[in-house]
Amino acid sequence: MINGHAPIIRLGIRAASPFATVLGCYLLFAGHNNPGGGFAAGLVFGAVLALRTIAGFLRPTYGITLVAAGVFIVAGVALLPLLWGDLLFDQQVLSFELPLLGKVKTGSALLFDVGVAVIVVGTVMAVLDGLGAAEFAADPPAEPDHQEQE
Amino acid sequence: MILGLLVLHVAVCVLLAATSRRLGRNGLLVGAVPPAVTAVWAATRLGDHQPESADVAWVPGLDLAMTFRVDAFVDIMTLIVSGIGFGVFVYAYGYFAPSAAGIGRFAATLLAFSTAMLGLVWADSVWSLFVFWELTSVTSFLLIGHKNTDKPAQVAARQALMITAGGGLVLLAGLLLVTRSAGTTLISEMMPVDGATATFGAVLVMVGAATKSAQVPFHPWLPSAMVAPTPVSAYLHSATMVKAGVVLVAVMGPALGGLPTWKACGLAFGVASVFWGAIGALRHRDAKLVLAWGTVSQLGMLITLFSVGTAKAALAAVTLLVAHALFKGALFLVVGEIDVRARTRNIDELGGLARSMPIACTVAVLAGLSMAGAPPLLGFVAKEAAIKAALALEGPEAWIVGFGVIAGSVLTVAYTARFLVTVFGPGPETALAARRHALSLPAAVLGLAGLVGYAALGPLNGVLGPAAARLAGAAEVSDLHRWPGLTLDLGISAIVLALGASLGLVLSRRLGRVPVEYGARWTDASIEATMTFGRATSARLQHGSLPVYLVTMAGTAALAALPFLGYVSFDHVVAWDTPLQAVLAVAIIGAAVALSFVGTRLAAGLALGAAGIAVAAVFVVHGAADLALTQLLVEAAIVVGFVLAFGHLSRSFPRVGLRWRAVRMTVAGLGGAAVVVGLAAASRSPVAAPPLTEMATASVDEGGGSNIVNVILTDIRALDTLGEVLVLATVALGVLALARASDRPEGSAS
């Protein structure tokens, strides 16, 4: 039905990936003050990876590793404040000057968002892996091989 | 100090688990360190009787805390758990070959058990008690099933878990009832209770204790558990874990001892186990099984004495508790050494060991004499005290307890004599492997301890007395005596020894029949029935057809709207805020209707996407930019999913029968109605004004961000988000697991 190896699709995906990635990064960092956030960023990254998988640029093999890493990050953000006697999830706000960008304010919430994004990306990859996306990309089935059963 | 020791245990445990492969057998020596430290600490505490407590708030709002308390009695238990634990770690080092499989894992699990057992013994809050109680069941399960590819080990581990963990649930119910009537969750603060609730709770607690301490009719798991490596049998299944039930009966005694039902249940379990266990010990031909059945009998004796509740009985019970841990530990370790060196435990195949294993034989004779209650050993003192306690009772109780103690002792002497004669006496010469010091040293120490305890009875009185006084609620108790003088109890003791020894010697050669596992049959049957029920239920629920799953789930979700039916009102509903919403609504409805009528999957996907994008537009109209963005992105992700799924599916939907179509339409209609009901009910009467201003200020001041939606997600309600992303992570695992499962060939999935 849809051939992921069609040159125009491959080229299109290749051309769109960097822009989509930049958009994802923007959403990740902007989330605290503007629309965006970890979940949205994760979805954008996930979409990029999914498209690249379909086009055959990538095999979605490390989804679970990413999910585990993301869980570690969010759990760390949640639990670390307990170590120095603060409450669970206590927010640490950092604010400093950067060249070119001027005054930058960020905090542990950003790290939390990163963790969420990593989990979302990992989930997308795991689903792709589970659906056999890599096999699909390598050899798109010409005809449906079985009828759905009731 | 209490918390420090627990942390030390846990830390070493984690270290062992992490480095189990690299450390191998040496992990056992590392694991011996925390018990050694704890044992030394408990030993230094023996002299002073100041209770020490520690607690960690867990959920302060629910009055949940990990509360620990050590006192005179707990010190003794600590010394048993950690002292014997240390010995068993050393022993296990000699027991396993350096290359044995899974030995690092074994060390970590054994230490985990040790930690859980200490927690159980130290627990003062009933909740900590319950948590550690179940932890010991789980670690015991893992240790029994150490040879995890071995069928008997699997069966035995499962049986033990079913009985002890199931008993733990009964215990939980009992503890709930008891705390309710006592008004406190701290065992040390409980006053004597009465009333129907307390009585019912007490019975449940006693049943829980009986499952853990392998009392008739819950005993079959203990003999089956003998498939575990001998260090485990010596440590968990004679010295410590099976004592958990006894300890529970002991510490709950002050609160529940006044209830006649408590005492009746305790005596029933105890006396029945004394006899049935002793009879089992006389019938079996596997040396380890003889000891295991003997343990059932001895535990019955302990439960009997602790449920009597008098100061004398408590003193006898505490003394027997210590003596039993020493002599039974020593005997198990000796049998383990025989098993390793002779490669058999069948008493018919053993012979001449008195000459070829002189040290083991001496240790076994010392420990055996202590078990039989012969002077000059600690077991003798314990038995004298037990007889004295029984004689001091009045009424029918005196007869029951007296009969249990005295006739039970005769049988104990009999199986001890049979054990010693058949294992070490004449018989076919047994070939032996070389000696290992790590095997014989711990056994020797435990065996000699019975002798030392008898010699040092003076100082020992100062330790056992306060413990018994604390359990019986008495100010002080009379001392134990090395030699009671020419009294009635000494006469009884002498008769018991003579009668038991001759009985045992006669029986040692007579009972040739291979014993039938009476009790094991019904437990096996009930476990099998549980498994069959589980398989049947999941076969019914796991239908295998995706549409059936979806209909079931959607129908169940629709039912959730039922409670809200009473709150529905449409008074506050307005047609629209802006006409644009009406346009979008028409679009959504149109897409949904189209979706249900189109015949090809691609068209259905497009209709679904249209509905989704229109919903995103509704969000935009409301000013919810974040929602709209997320909705759009989800739609994009779904498109990719469709692309992948279409590769596996037919172009058009399959034909659907009329009846099935009716079911699906009903469920879909119900689902829609449920959403309407839910929304109408939810927005009818706000309980309070939404804290918008507070949230907005908090968002900027504390969250450090001006996008309030995201600050709510990542800061104000971050815990909710954590839960949600964990659900997401679980979904990822589930998808992969399902995909892998369907890759397997037919028939391998059950």
Coordinates of all heavy atoms in Angstrom, one line a residue, chain B residues 532-596:
Chain B
T532 N -5.8 -24.7 38.8 CA -6.8 -25.0 37.8 C -7.8 -23.9 37.6 O -8.2 -23.5 36.5 CB -7.5 -26.3 38.1 OG1 -6.5 -27.3 38.6 CG2 -8.2 -26.9 36.9
F533 N -8.3 -23.4 38.8 CA -9.3 -22.3 38.8 C -8.7 -21.1 38.1 O -9.3 -20.5 37.3 CB -9.6 -22.0 40.2 CG -10.6 -20.8 40.3 CD1 -11.9 -21.0 40.0 CD2 -10.1 -19.6 40.8 CE1 -12.8 -19.9 40.1 CE2 -11.0 -18.5 40.9 CZ -12.3 -18.7 40.5
G534 N -7.4 -20.8 38.4 CA -6.8 -19.7 37.7 C -6.7 -19.8 36.2 O -7.0 -18.9 35.5
R535 N -6.3 -21.1 35.8 CA -6.2 -21.3 34.4 C -7.6 -21.2 33.7 O -7.7 -20.6 32.6 CB -5.6 -22.7 34.1 CG -4.1 -22.7 34.1 CD -3.6 -24.0 33.5 NE -3.7 -25.1 34.5 CZ -2.8 -25.4 35.4 NH1 -1.7 -24.8 35.4 NH2 -3.0 -26.4 36.2
A536 N -8.6 -21.7 34.4 CA -9.9 -21.7 33.8 C -10.4 -20.3 33.7 O -11.0 -19.8 32.6 CB -10.9 -22.5 34.6
T537 N -10.2 -19.5 34.7 CA -10.7 -18.1 34.7 C -10.0 -17.3 33.6 O -10.6 -16.6 32.9 CB -10.3 -17.4 36.1 OG1 -10.7 -18.3 37.1 CG2 -11.1 -16.1 36.2
S538 N -8.7 -17.5 33.5 CA -8.0 -16.7 32.5 C -8.4 -17.2 31.1 O -8.4 -16.4 30.1 CB -6.5 -16.7 32.7 OG -6.0 -17.9 33.0
A539 N -8.7 -18.5 30.9 CA -9.1 -19.0 29.6 C -10.4 -18.3 29.2 O -10.6 -18.0 28.1 CB -9.2 -20.5 29.6
R540 N -11.3 -18.1 30.2 CA -12.6 -17.5 30.0 C -12.4 -16.0 29.6 O -13.0 -15.5 28.7 CB -13.5 -17.7 31.2 CG -14.9 -17.2 31.1 CD -15.7 -17.9 30.1 NE -15.7 -19.3 30.2 CZ -16.5 -20.0 31.0 NH1 -17.3 -19.4 31.7 NH2 -16.4 -21.3 31.0
L541 N -11.5 -15.3 30.4 CA -11.4 -13.9 30.2 C -10.5 -13.6 29.0 O -10.8 -12.6 28.3 CB -10.8 -13.3 31.5 CG -11.7 -13.3 32.7 CD1 -11.0 -12.7 33.9 CD2 -13.0 -12.5 32.4
Q542 N -9.5 -14.4 28.8 CA -8.6 -14.1 27.7 C -9.1 -14.7 26.5 O -8.7 -15.7 26.0 CB -7.2 -14.7 28.0 CG -6.6 -14.3 29.3 CD -5.9 -12.9 29.3 OE1 -5.2 -12.6 28.4 NE2 -6.2 -12.1 30.3
H543 N -10.1 -14.1 25.9 CA -10.9 -14.6 24.8 C -10.0 -14.8 23.6 O -10.2 -15.7 22.8 CB -12.1 -13.8 24.6 CG -13.1 -14.3 23.6 ND1 -12.9 -14.2 22.2 CD2 -14.2 -15.0 23.7 CE1 -13.8 -14.7 21.6 NE2 -14.7 -15.3 22.4
G544 N -9.2 -13.8 23.3 CA -8.3 -13.9 22.2 C -8.8 -13.0 21.0 O -8.0 -12.8 20.1
S545 N -10.0 -12.5 21.0 CA -10.4 -11.7 19.9 C -10.4 -10.2 20.3 O -11.0 -9.9 21.4 CB -11.9 -12.1 19.5 OG -12.5 -11.1 18.9
L546 N -9.7 -9.4 19.5 CA -9.6 -8.0 19.9 C -10.9 -7.3 20.0 O -11.1 -6.6 21.0 CB -8.7 -7.4 18.8 CG -7.9 -6.2 19.3 CD1 -7.1 -6.5 20.5 CD2 -6.9 -5.8 18.1
P547 N -11.9 -7.5 19.1 CA -13.2 -6.8 19.2 C -13.9 -7.2 20.5 O -14.5 -6.3 21.2 CB -14.0 -7.3 18.0 CG -13.0 -7.6 17.0 CD -11.8 -8.2 17.8
V548 N -13.8 -8.4 20.9 CA -14.4 -8.8 22.2 C -13.8 -8.1 23.4 O -14.5 -7.6 24.2 CB -14.3 -10.3 22.4 CG1 -14.9 -10.7 23.7 CG2 -15.2 -11.0 21.3
Y549 N -12.4 -8.0 23.4 CA -11.8 -7.3 24.4 C -12.3 -5.8 24.5 O -12.6 -5.3 25.5 CB -10.3 -7.2 24.2 CG -9.5 -8.5 24.5 CD1 -8.5 -8.9 23.8 CD2 -9.9 -9.3 25.6 CE1 -7.8 -10.1 24.0 CE2 -9.2 -10.5 25.9 CZ -8.2 -10.8 25.1 OH -7.5 -12.0 25.4
L550 N -12.3 -5.2 23.3 CA -12.7 -3.8 23.3 C -14.1 -3.6 23.8 O -14.4 -2.7 24.6 CB -12.6 -3.3 21.8 CG -11.1 -3.0 21.4 CD1 -11.1 -2.6 19.9 CD2 -10.5 -2.0 22.2
V551 N -15.0 -4.5 23.3 CA -16.4 -4.4 23.8 C -16.5 -4.5 25.3 O -17.2 -3.8 26.0 CB -17.3 -5.4 23.0 CG1 -18.6 -5.6 23.7 CG2 -17.5 -4.9 21.6
T552 N -15.8 -5.5 25.8 CA -15.8 -5.8 27.2 C -15.3 -4.5 28.0 O -15.9 -4.1 29.0 CB -14.9 -7.0 27.6 OG1 -15.2 -8.0 26.7 CG2 -15.2 -7.5 29.0
M553 N -14.2 -4.0 27.5 CA -13.6 -2.9 28.2 C -14.5 -1.6 28.2 O -14.7 -1.0 29.2 CB -12.2 -2.5 27.7 CG -11.1 -3.5 28.2 SD -9.7 -3.6 27.1 CE -9.1 -1.9 27.1
A554 N -15.0 -1.4 27.0 CA -15.8 -0.2 26.8 C -17.1 -0.3 27.6 O -17.6 0.6 28.3 CB -16.2 0.0 25.3
G555 N -17.7 -1.6 27.6 CA -18.9 -1.8 28.3 C -18.7 -1.6 29.8 O -19.5 -0.9 30.5
T556 N -17.5 -2.1 30.3 CA -17.2 -2.0 31.8 C -17.0 -0.5 32.1 O -17.5 0.0 33.1 CB -16.0 -2.7 32.1 OG1 -16.0 -4.0 31.5 CG2 -15.8 -2.9 33.6
A557 N -16.3 0.2 31.2 CA -16.1 1.7 31.5 C -17.4 2.4 31.5 O -17.6 3.3 32.3 CB -15.2 2.2 30.4
A558 N -18.4 2.0 30.6 CA -19.7 2.7 30.6 C -20.4 2.5 31.9 O -21.1 3.4 32.4 CB -20.5 2.2 29.4
L559 N -20.2 1.3 32.5 CA -20.9 1.1 33.8 C -20.5 2.0 34.9 O -21.2 2.3 35.8 CB -20.6 -0.4 34.2 CG -21.3 -1.5 33.4 CD1 -21.0 -2.8 34.0 CD2 -22.8 -1.2 33.4
A560 N -19.2 2.5 34.7 CA -18.6 3.4 35.7 C -19.5 4.7 35.9 O -19.4 5.4 36.9 CB -17.2 3.7 35.4
A561 N -20.2 5.0 34.8 CA -21.0 6.2 34.9 C -22.3 6.1 35.7 O -22.9 7.1 36.1 CB -21.4 6.7 33.5
L562 N -22.6 4.8 36.1 CA -23.9 4.6 36.8 C -24.0 5.5 38.1 O -25.1 6.1 38.3 CB -24.0 3.1 37.1 CG -24.6 2.3 36.0 CD1 -24.7 0.8 36.5 CD2 -26.0 2.8 35.6
P563 N -23.0 5.5 38.9 CA -23.2 6.2 40.2 C -23.5 7.7 40.0 O -24.0 8.4 40.9 CB -21.8 6.1 40.9 CG -21.1 5.0 40.2 CD -21.7 4.9 38.9
F564 N -23.1 8.3 38.8 CA -23.3 9.7 38.6 C -24.7 10.0 38.0 O -25.0 11.2 37.8 CB -22.2 10.2 37.6 CG -20.8 10.0 38.1 CD1 -20.0 9.0 37.6 CD2 -20.3 10.8 39.2 CE1 -18.8 8.8 38.1 CE2 -19.1 10.6 39.7 CZ -18.3 9.6 39.2
L565 N -25.5 9.0 37.8 CA -26.8 9.3 37.1 C -27.6 10.3 38.0 O -28.3 11.1 37.4 CB -27.6 8.0 37.0 CG -27.4 7.2 35.7 CD1 -28.2 6.0 35.6 CD2 -27.7 8.2 34.5
G566 N -27.5 10.1 39.3 CA -28.3 11.0 40.2 C -27.9 12.5 40.1 O -28.7 13.3 40.6
Y567 N -26.7 12.7 39.6 CA -26.2 14.1 39.7 C -26.4 14.9 38.4 O -26.0 16.0 38.3 CB -24.7 14.1 40.0 CG -24.4 13.5 41.4 CD1 -24.1 12.2 41.5 CD2 -24.6 14.3 42.6 CE1 -23.8 11.6 42.7 CE2 -24.3 13.7 43.8 CZ -24.0 12.4 43.9 OH -23.7 11.8 45.1
V568 N -27.0 14.2 37.4 CA -27.0 14.8 36.1 C -28.0 16.0 36.1 O -29.1 15.9 36.6 CB -27.5 13.8 35.0 CG1 -27.7 14.5 33.7 CG2 -26.4 12.7 34.9
S569 N -27.6 17.1 35.6 CA -28.5 18.2 35.3 C -28.0 19.0 34.2 O -26.8 19.1 34.0 CB -28.7 19.1 36.6 OG -27.9 20.2 36.5
F570 N -28.9 19.6 33.4 CA -28.5 20.3 32.2 C -28.8 21.8 32.3 O -28.8 22.5 31.3 CB -29.1 19.7 30.9 CG -28.7 18.3 30.6 CD1 -29.4 17.2 31.0 CD2 -27.5 18.1 30.0 CE1 -28.9 15.9 30.7 CE2 -27.0 16.9 29.7 CZ -27.8 15.8 30.1
D571 N -29.0 22.2 33.6 CA -29.4 23.6 33.8 C -28.3 24.6 33.3 O -28.6 25.6 32.7 CB -29.7 23.9 35.2 CG -30.8 23.0 35.7 OD1 -31.6 22.5 34.8 OD2 -31.0 22.8 36.9
H572 N -27.1 24.2 33.6 CA -26.0 25.2 33.3 C -25.5 25.1 31.9 O -24.5 25.8 31.6 CB -24.8 24.9 34.3 CG -24.3 23.5 34.1 ND1 -25.0 22.4 34.6 CD2 -23.2 23.0 33.5 CE1 -24.4 21.3 34.3 NE2 -23.3 21.7 33.6
V573 N -26.0 24.2 31.1 CA -25.5 24.0 29.7 C -25.9 25.1 28.8 O -27.1 25.5 28.8 CB -26.0 22.6 29.2 CG1 -25.6 22.5 27.7 CG2 -25.5 21.5 30.0
V574 N -24.9 25.7 28.1 CA -25.2 26.7 27.2 C -25.0 26.2 25.8 O -24.2 25.2 25.6 CB -24.4 28.0 27.4 CG1 -24.8 28.7 28.7 CG2 -22.9 27.7 27.4
A575 N -25.6 26.7 24.8 CA -25.4 26.1 23.4 C -24.0 26.3 23.0 O -23.4 25.3 22.5 CB -26.4 26.8 22.4
W576 N -23.4 27.5 23.0 CA -22.1 27.7 22.6 C -21.5 29.0 23.2 O -22.3 29.9 23.5 CB -21.8 27.6 21.1 CG -22.7 28.6 20.3 CD1 -22.7 29.9 20.3 CD2 -23.8 28.2 19.5 NE1 -23.6 30.4 19.5 CE2 -24.3 29.4 18.9 CE3 -24.3 27.0 19.0 CZ2 -25.4 29.4 18.0 CZ3 -25.3 27.0 18.1 CH2 -25.9 28.2 17.6
D577 N -20.2 29.1 23.3 CA -19.6 30.4 23.7 C -19.4 31.2 22.4 O -19.7 32.4 22.4 CB -18.3 30.2 24.4 CG -18.4 29.3 25.6 OD1 -19.4 29.5 26.3 OD2 -17.5 28.5 25.9
T578 N -18.9 30.6 21.4 CA -18.9 31.3 20.1 C -19.5 30.4 19.1 O -19.4 29.1 19.2 CB -17.4 31.6 19.7 OG1 -16.8 30.3 19.4 CG2 -16.6 32.3 20.8
P579 N -20.0 30.9 18.0 CA -20.6 30.0 16.9 C -19.6 29.1 16.3 O -20.0 28.0 15.8 CB -21.1 31.0 15.9 CG -21.2 32.3 16.6 CD -20.2 32.3 17.7
L580 N -18.3 29.4 16.4 CA -17.3 28.6 15.8 C -17.3 27.2 16.4 O -17.1 26.1 15.8 CB -15.9 29.2 16.1 CG -14.8 28.8 15.3 CD1 -15.1 28.9 13.8 CD2 -13.5 29.6 15.6
Q581 N -17.7 27.1 17.7 CA -17.8 25.8 18.4 C -18.8 24.9 17.7 O -18.6 23.7 17.6 CB -18.1 26.0 19.9 CG -16.9 26.5 20.6 CD -17.3 26.9 22.1 OE1 -18.4 27.3 22.3 NE2 -16.3 26.8 23.0
A582 N -19.9 25.5 17.4 CA -21.0 24.8 16.7 C -20.5 24.2 15.4 O -20.7 23.0 15.1 CB -22.2 25.7 16.5
V583 N -19.8 25.0 14.7 CA -19.3 24.5 13.4 C -18.4 23.3 13.6 O -18.5 22.3 13.0 CB -18.5 25.6 12.7 CG1 -17.9 25.1 11.4 CG2 -19.4 26.8 12.4
L584 N -17.5 23.4 14.6 CA -16.5 22.3 14.9 C -17.3 21.1 15.4 O -16.9 20.0 15.0 CB -15.5 22.8 16.0 CG -14.5 23.8 15.4 CD1 -13.7 24.4 16.6 CD2 -13.6 23.1 14.4
A585 N -18.3 21.3 16.2 CA -19.1 20.2 16.7 C -19.7 19.4 15.5 O -19.7 18.2 15.5 CB -20.2 20.7 17.6
V586 N -20.3 20.2 14.5 CA -20.9 19.6 13.4 C -19.8 18.7 12.6 O -20.0 17.6 12.2 CB -21.5 20.6 12.4 CG1 -21.9 20.0 11.1 CG2 -22.7 21.2 13.1
A587 N -18.6 19.3 12.6 CA -17.5 18.6 11.9 C -17.2 17.3 12.6 O -17.0 16.2 12.0 CB -16.2 19.5 11.8
I588 N -17.1 17.4 13.9 CA -16.7 16.2 14.7 C -17.8 15.1 14.6 O -17.5 13.9 14.3 CB -16.6 16.5 16.2 CG1 -15.4 17.5 16.4 CG2 -16.4 15.3 17.0 CD1 -15.3 18.0 17.8
I589 N -19.1 15.6 14.7 CA -20.2 14.6 14.6 C -20.2 14.0 13.2 O -20.3 12.7 13.0 CB -21.5 15.3 14.8 CG1 -21.6 15.7 16.3 CG2 -22.7 14.3 14.5 CD1 -22.7 16.6 16.7
G590 N -20.0 14.8 12.1 CA -19.9 14.3 10.8 C -18.8 13.3 10.6 O -19.1 12.2 10.1
A591 N -17.7 13.6 11.1 CA -16.5 12.6 11.0 C -16.8 11.3 11.7 O -16.6 10.2 11.2 CB -15.3 13.3 11.6
A592 N -17.4 11.4 12.9 CA -17.7 10.2 13.7 C -18.8 9.4 13.0 O -18.6 8.1 12.9 CB -18.2 10.6 15.1
V593 N -19.8 10.0 12.4 CA -20.8 9.3 11.7 C -20.2 8.6 10.4 O -20.4 7.4 10.2 CB -22.0 10.2 11.3 CG1 -23.0 9.4 10.4 CG2 -22.7 10.6 12.6
A594 N -19.4 9.4 9.7 CA -18.8 8.8 8.5 C -17.9 7.6 8.9 O -17.9 6.6 8.2 CB -17.9 9.9 7.9
L595 N -17.2 7.8 10.0 CA -16.3 6.7 10.5 C -17.0 5.4 10.6 O -16.5 4.3 10.3 CB -15.7 7.2 11.8 CG -14.8 6.1 12.6 CD1 -13.7 5.7 11.7 CD2 -14.3 6.8 13.8
S596 N -18.3 5.5 11.1 CA -19.0 4.2 11.4 C -19.6 3.6 10.1 O -20.1 2.5 10.2 CB -20.0 4.4 12.5 OG -20.5 5.7 12.6

